[in-house]
Amino acid sequence: MLKRKFVIADNERALLFKERLLTEVLTPGIYRYWDFKNQLKARVFDVTSSEVVQKDVKALMLNKPELLGEHFTEVSTDENEVALISVNGQITELLAPQTQKLYWNTEAKMTVERINISESFQVSEKDLKRLAKVAKSSVLSKGLVVKEVINKQVGLLYVDGRLERVLKAGQYGFWNYNQTIALVVVDTRAQLLDVSGQEILTKDKVSLRVNLTATFQVEDAVVMSEHLSDGKAFVYNALQLALRQSVGTQTLDALLADKTSIDTYVQSVVSKKVAEFGLKLIQVGVKDIILPGE
């Protein structure tokens, strides 16, 4: 073969090899070479996604900067920093600490913003406004914890499993590197709870179905979270047990004569029990008592 023709598209770059030795980088265009012994070979790369992912090409770029230096950009981070990669003004990637990546230089404008996370793992208010918009995407989801704590909620920030601080209403972001970050949001508004269809035997062995409703709220989010995995389930079980105790110690006639006795008993017993775990029982009421058909 006397002459070789290589066509490199706008979204491509090519490495030209002669007898397996790199000789040139081909940018978009049409190239013609004399190749009497069929020694030339072009390896073409799509640079639409500008990151260089091929291990052998990375090694080649780093080992031959005199040939390849102007065609790629190296970005690396130390153990206490992250880097935000933006292309044409849009954040596309977050580099974790101690990361090295190579990117093809293209017409797209790539910028690198470095952030020191050793001074504070909390994202600054200025950065949070930008990052909150893309925090849920795959770009940032692994390295950034972003949550909003609204009115009547409490945020519990845990670092490596230990409670670091209690957060009031607001928007928060934390870098999830060099430690494990967890932000638990607890609702402190009053919550309605129904205990329905409880079949219970009275003292005189009559089977009843009792429906109970209750209202409770979280008073101390820290105490509740330290002792309970599910505060609502704990209150539900406490109401169930107290209801059975109340009905089981009275005859049917006594219950029908004074239905409020169930409310009073359940309120008294459950209020004390849940208070130890940062919860408050606001109100309890029997909705209805269903008698057996016979």
Side-chain angles (χ1 to χ4, degrees):
M1 183 180 292
L2 296 178
K3 211 164 192 179
R4 296 285 300 277
K5 177 182 177 182
F6 300 102
V7 179
I8 311 302
D10 289 336
N11 64 314
E12 295 177 334
R13 298 291 184 275
L15 301 183
L16 185 65
F17 295 87
K18 184 176 182 180
E19 293 186 329
R20 300 177 63 186
L21 295 176
L22 179 64
T23 60
E24 190 178 351
V25 179
L26 306 182
T27 55
I30 300 174
Y31 300 83
R32 292 180 175 84
Y33 298 91
W34 292 105
D35 187 12
F36 297 102
K37 296 182 180 181
N38 197 26
Q39 296 174 322
L40 297 180
K41 181 179 179 182
R43 185 174 175 185
V44 181
F45 300 89
D46 187 342
V47 296
T48 305
S49 176
S50 59
E51 183 187 349
V52 180
V53 295
Q54 300 85 356
K55 292 182 179 180
D56 58 332
V57 178
K58 288 182 181 180
L60 202 57
M61 286 180 163
L62 295 174
N63 291 333
K64 292 207 170 184
E66 70 282 357
L67 275 176
L68 295 166
E70 64 180 290
H71 298 284
F72 75 94
T73 297
E74 177 187 359
V75 181
S76 59
T77 56
D78 65 29
E79 62 181 353
N80 293 314
E81 70 175 358
V82 297
L84 291 172
I85 307 298
S86 298
V87 177
N88 294 331
Q90 182 177 355
I91 297 173
T92 60
E93 191 174 1
L94 170 64
L95 297 193
Q98 294 184 305
T99 299
Q100 181 192 50
K101 287 194 175 185
L102 301 179
Y103 300 89
W104 289 104
N105 291 336
T106 66
E107 296 301 318
K109 183 181 179 182
M110 188 183 83
T111 57
V112 180
E113 181 181 355
R114 300 177 184 278
I115 301 174
N116 190 324
I117 61 173
S118 62
E119 299 170 356
S120 173
F121 57 85
Q122 183 169 352
V123 180
S124 69
E125 187 175 345
K126 179 192 73 173
D127 291 332
L128 185 59
K129 289 180 180 178
R130 296 184 301 133
L131 298 176
K133 297 178 182 178
V134 289
K136 293 182 180 180
S137 70
S138 58
V139 173
L140 301 177
S141 59
K142 294 182 179 180
L144 185 64
V145 176
V146 173
K147 279 193 179 180
E148 183 180 14
V149 180
I150 64 175
N151 192 31
K152 297 296 182 180
Q153 289 182 338
V154 173
L156 303 180
L157 177 64
Y158 291 89
V159 179
D160 292 333
R162 297 181 180 180
L163 181 65
E164 177 75 15
R165 72 181 87 146
V166 178
L167 306 175
K168 298 180 180 179
Q171 182 90 349
Y172 297 90
F174 301 93
W175 298 111
N176 199 20
Y177 294 115
N178 301 336
Q179 64 268 312
T180 301
I181 301 292
L183 206 169
V184 180
V185 177
V186 180
D187 197 331
T188 62
R189 293 173 295 183
Q191 300 180 54
L192 188 64
L193 191 58
D194 286 322
V195 182
S196 303
Q198 297 297 303
E199 294 191 5
I200 308 171
L201 284 177
T202 63
K203 186 177 182 181
D204 50 351
K205 306 303 180 184
V206 179
S207 178
L208 303 176
R209 280 210 345 247
V210 182
N211 295 320
L212 183 76
T213 185
T215 307
F216 78 99
Q217 68 181 143
V218 178
E219 277 203 321
D220 192 325
V222 174
V223 172
M224 186 202 72
S225 297
E226 286 182 350
H227 295 89
L228 301 175
S229 60
D230 189 336
K232 190 172 186 177
F234 179 77
V235 176
Y236 184 90
N237 290 333
L239 290 168
Q240 272 188 322
L241 292 173
L243 180 59
R244 290 184 176 278
Q245 291 170 358
S246 176
V247 174
T249 56
Q250 300 184 67
T251 64
L252 176 60
D253 290 339
L255 286 172
L256 295 178
D258 184 11
K259 296 179 183 178
T260 60
S261 64
I262 299 177
D263 302 347
T264 304
Y265 180 84
V266 173
Q267 176 87 38
S268 174
V269 172
V270 177
S271 292
K272 294 178 182 178
K273 188 171 185 178
V274 300
E276 300 175 16
F277 299 92
L279 300 166
K280 179 182 179 182
L281 188 63
I282 300 171
Q283 188 177 11
V284 174
V286 173
K287 294 171 66 176
D288 46 45
I289 298 176
I290 303 172
L291 301 174
E294 63 272 17

